[in-house]
């Protein structure tokens, strides 16, 4: 059983849900991302998603696009994100998942990446532009290395694709809440609960909801439908706004604690 | 024609792969819509009514067939092989792009989508899409890099006159690559109501196949016209390659004709050694950009590089996957021409033939002018003259002023 699977099994036993904060690695610097990850773990994060910056993030809205550009301008690469993961490995016990596009992984080499990630203490990888049809080579190497390849389900996925993705996804299933790119939304789509029920009907694997979720109230609304809730752009926006403040790390920690509150021991 | 096209391999395969290239590397949100698009396209392709309507529009509206013109003065100037021009610049809207937008426009209508979006580099595809949208009564929005909006202002104005909304993209390198990113983000968000009318033979399956099919009329006409006019096949077909749509359209019907050498010409910008060019096949490596596996310009970390070309339509760090496949298979060859060589070819064609080519097409002219003197007078080169150069006169005139042209200026009789 992978560490991701154990984490979700433990949460289910306690009747709790996972809070999964996302950070674009290297925004504003790799050292601050390291501090943010440690702070997130202290604030109640159950796992952490580290975004590998990519020059052409076509699934991302403006907030994560800007963060990616800042990180790239600071010289961040996939190799340096793996170094960051290695650096926090001893200091935290929660799992780390990378979120990336396929080209940096392809350029790194699939075997080198999967082994390097596991060796750095990374538990899983989400590849935003790699549907199961194209994922064969990476899935094989990830499996051999012991890295969970996590697939996404979208509101546009018909039932036969939902079944395919549920079968292929390992660690958990990333449930995309809305039809669109990443970024905070004032309201979430009304058909979300129904889509979520359809997914529940075909799988017992953990399901985590992401895209558009930015407030503790929205996290609370998601809790009954998911094993975990992913918050990305809202955190990245806070990092952007407080990048030069010496209060950056504690403020992000407080926000993460507020997001986690509604997820502790739900019925 | 039919028997010859049968000899070409049946590519792509079911999942949109051309060997190891192509595919669908997209967010899951787009997978079902792409599969639906492919099914709709395959049904339309089999539908005689759809094909009949497209054929009628290509003839009565777009002005097909376009002439295959023997360029006598250019041929004499080069002193070698006979040079023919396939005059896509004479199509309605001034470039080959109209072939594809009429096909996809009819498909959008057939699928019940009333809103179309497009990306554009030089603006030719944007103008063509705006034109098809006006013709079919569809709402049209065009994404265009901020830098391209500045250097192709005439086309921006044309799109607005045709009723389209032009959305400048200020992200990244502010060129075609970023316009495609933004169009894909729009499509991810509005996929239920919107048709993405992609303008080159790139992107996720089925676009490379579909765009090729809508442009293969270029090569089919060329083959027929040369057979009727000269009773033979060409020795070379030459076309410029950015994303590669006009090139694949000209090349595709000749793939099975082993005696025909097929040459794509990429943008060498300031030179292949300068790092400022758009030659992904000549100087790039295999990667994934905009939904397909192909040759791309990238750094060691897999970050996509910024391309450069004087022609906005070739200013792109990737290329259609079918080009990558036939490059590796050894069937297509690739050359390149610099900004200065393209400018010189623009001048030469204007003065020798009274034809101003688009700066994109001028790259193909430049290579043909290098090639022709090395060949005997009995040999035949066909250049895909993909578009006309009116849109580029400002760029050419400002480059003339800066003296960039002088070193490569052709000596004319």
């Amino acid at each position: 059983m992978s560490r991701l699977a154990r984490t979700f099994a433990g949460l289910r036993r306690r009747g709790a849900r996972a809070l999964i904060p996302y950070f674009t690695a290297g925004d504003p610097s790799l050292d601050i991302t390291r501090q943010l990850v440690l702070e997130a773990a202290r604030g109640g994060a159950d796992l952490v998603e580290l975004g590998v910056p990519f020059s052409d993030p076509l699934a991302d809205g403006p907030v994560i696009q800007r963060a990616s550009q800042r990180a790239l301008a600071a010289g961040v690469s996939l190799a340096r994100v793996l170094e960051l993961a290695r650096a926090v490995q001893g200091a935290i016990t929660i799992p780390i998942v990378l979120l990336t596009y396929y080209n940096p992984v392809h350029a790194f080499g699939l075997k080198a990446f999967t082994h390097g990630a596991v060796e750095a203490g990374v538990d899983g990888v989400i590849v935003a532009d790699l549907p199961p049809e194209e994922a064969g080579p990476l899935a094989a190497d990830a499996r051999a290395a012991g890295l969970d390849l996590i697939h996404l389900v979208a509101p546009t996925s018909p039932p036969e694709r939902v079944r395919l993705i549920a079968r292929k996804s390992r660690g958990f299933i990333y449930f995309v809440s809305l039809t669109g790119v990443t970024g905070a939304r004032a309201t979430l789509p009304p058909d979300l609960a129904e889509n979520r029920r359809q997914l529940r009907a075909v799988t017992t694997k953990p399901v985590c909801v992401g895209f558009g979720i930015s407030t503790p109230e929205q996290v609370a609304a998601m809790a009954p439908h998911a094993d975990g809730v992913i918050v990305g752009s809202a955190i990245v926006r806070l990092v952007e706004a407080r990048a030069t403040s010496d209060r950056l790390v504690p403020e992000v920690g407080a926000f993460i604690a507020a997001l986690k509150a509604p997820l502790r021991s739900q019925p | 024609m039919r028997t010859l096209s049968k000899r070409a391999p049946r590519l792509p395969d079911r999942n949109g792969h051309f060997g190891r290239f192509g595919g669908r590397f997209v967010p899951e949100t787009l997978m079902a819509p792409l599969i639906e698009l492919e099914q709709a396209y395959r049904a339309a392709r089999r539908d005689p009514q759809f094909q009949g309507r497209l054929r009628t529009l290509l003839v009565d509206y777009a002005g097909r067939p376009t002439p295959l013109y023997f360029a006598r003065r250019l041929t004499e100037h080069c002193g070698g092989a006979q040079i023919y021009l396939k005059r896509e610049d004479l199509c309605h809207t001034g470039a080959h792009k109209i072939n594809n937008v009429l096909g996809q426009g009819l498909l959008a209508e057939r699928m019940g989508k009333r809103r179309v979006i497009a990306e554009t580099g030089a603006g030719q595809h944007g103008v063509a899409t705006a034109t098809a949208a006006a013709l079919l009564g569809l709402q049209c929005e065009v994404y265009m890099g901020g830098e391209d909006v500045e250097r192709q202002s005439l086309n921006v104005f044309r799109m607005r006159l045709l009723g389209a909304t032009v959305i400048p993209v200020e992200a990244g390198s502010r060129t075609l690559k970023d316009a495609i990113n933004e169009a894909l983000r729009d499509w991810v968000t509005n996929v239920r109501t919107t048709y993405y009318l992609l303008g080159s033979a790139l992107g996720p399956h089925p676009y490379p196949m579909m765009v090729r099919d809508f442009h293969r009329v270029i090569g089919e006409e060329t083959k027929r016209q040369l057979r009727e006019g000269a009773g033979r096949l060409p020795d070379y077909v030459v076309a410029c390659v950015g994303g590669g749509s006009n090139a694949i359209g000209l090349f595709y019907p000749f793939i099975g004709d082993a005696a025909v050498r097929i040459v794509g010409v990429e943008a060498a910008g300031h030179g292949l050694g300068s790092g400022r060019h758009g030659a992904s096949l000549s100087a790039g490596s295999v990667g994934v950009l905009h939904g397909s596996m192909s040759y791309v310009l990238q750094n060691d970390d897999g970050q996509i590089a910024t391309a450069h070309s004087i022609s906005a339509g070739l200013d792109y760090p990737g290329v259609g996957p079918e080009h990558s496949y036939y490059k590796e298979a050894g069937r297509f060859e690739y050359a390149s021409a610099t900004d200065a060589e393209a400018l010189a070819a623009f001048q030469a064609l204007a003065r020798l033939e009274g034809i101003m080519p688009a700066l994109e097409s001028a790259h193909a002219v430049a290579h043909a002018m290098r090639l022709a003197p090395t060949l005997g007078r009995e040999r035949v080169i066909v250049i895909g003259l993909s578009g006309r150069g009116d849109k580029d006169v400002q760029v050419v005139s400002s480059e003339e002023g800066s003296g960039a042209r002088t070193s490569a200026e052709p000596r004319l009789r």
Side-chain angles (χ1 to χ4, degrees), chain B residues 62-85:
Chain B
R64 303 210 73 88
T66 59
L68 181 69
Y69 164 71
F70 173 57
R72 187 182 58 81
R73 296 226 319 137
L74 180 65
T75 297
E76 285 170 7
H77 172 74
C78 294
Q82 303 159 44
I83 301 173
Y84 286 79
L85 307 175

Side-chain angles (χ1 to χ4, degrees), chain B residues 34 37 104 187 195-198 200-212:
Chain B
L34 284 169
L37 174 62
Q104 288 201 54
W187 202 37
Y195 184 97
Y196 180 16
L197 209 163
L198 215 163
S200 196
L202 50 81
H205 181 59
Y207 286 105
M209 168 179 81
M210 192 160 68
V211 174
R212 173 199 72 197

Side-chain angles (χ1 to χ4, degrees), chain B residues 309-395:
Chain B
S309 172
I310 191 168
S311 68
L314 304 185
D315 195 345
Y316 179 68
V319 67
E322 196 161 7
H323 284 283
S324 294
Y325 173 80
Y326 284 112
K327 172 196 160 74
E328 286 203 348
R331 182 64 189 98
F332 294 177
E333 305 161 50
Y334 292 90
S336 61
T338 63
D339 289 352
E341 288 168 330
L343 278 165
F346 179 102
Q347 298 281 352
L349 201 65
R351 294 188 193 179
L352 288 166
E353 297 289 352
I355 297 170
M356 279 190 285
L359 279 175
E360 290 77 13
S361 323
H363 287 71
V365 176
H367 182 68
M369 289 176 71
R370 281 193 304 240
L371 181 64
T374 69
L375 302 170
R377 290 171 192 277
E378 74 291 353
R379 311 292 288 279
V380 169
I381 300 173
V382 173
I383 301 173
L385 203 73
S386 53
R388 70 177 184 221
D390 310 44
K391 69 184 176 60
D392 293 315
V393 293
Q394 277 175 326
V395 174

Side-chain angles (χ1 to χ4, degrees), chain B residues 228-367:
Chain B
E228 286 167 3
R232 53 167 300 172
L233 284 167
D235 296 291
Y236 284 85
V237 288
V238 179
C240 66
V241 177
S245 67
N246 95 85
I248 200 70
L250 175 62
F251 297 170
Y252 189 71
F254 291 102
I255 290 171
D257 299 305
V260 179
R261 286 179 70 174
I262 296 175
V263 186
V265 186
E266 296 190 290
H270 295 180
L272 290 186
S274 71
R276 305 249 309 137
H277 58 77
S280 36
L281 289 160
S282 305
S285 55
V286 176
V288 170
L289 174 65
H290 295 146
S292 59
M293 177 89 67
S294 195
Y295 275 82
V296 297
L297 299 176
Q298 59 184 329
N299 70 12
D300 292 344
D301 299 327
Q303 305 297 340
I304 305 303
T306 300
H308 165 79
S309 172
I310 191 168
S311 68
L314 304 185
D315 195 345
Y316 179 68
V319 67
E322 196 161 7
H323 284 283
S324 294
Y325 173 80
Y326 284 112
K327 172 196 160 74
E328 286 203 348
R331 182 64 189 98
F332 294 177
E333 305 161 50
Y334 292 90
S336 61
T338 63
D339 289 352
E341 288 168 330
L343 278 165
F346 179 102
Q347 298 281 352
L349 201 65
R351 294 188 193 179
L352 288 166
E353 297 289 352
I355 297 170
M356 279 190 285
L359 279 175
E360 290 77 13
S361 323
H363 287 71
V365 176
H367 182 68

Side-chain angles (χ1 to χ4, degrees), chain A residues 12 18 67 94 103 121 125 130 139 172 177 181 194 197 215:
Chain A
R12 280 185 181 177
I94 59 174
N103 201 50
V125 61
L130 194 70
F172 64 90
S177 70
V181 294
E194 176 53 29
R197 260 193 297 279
T215 64

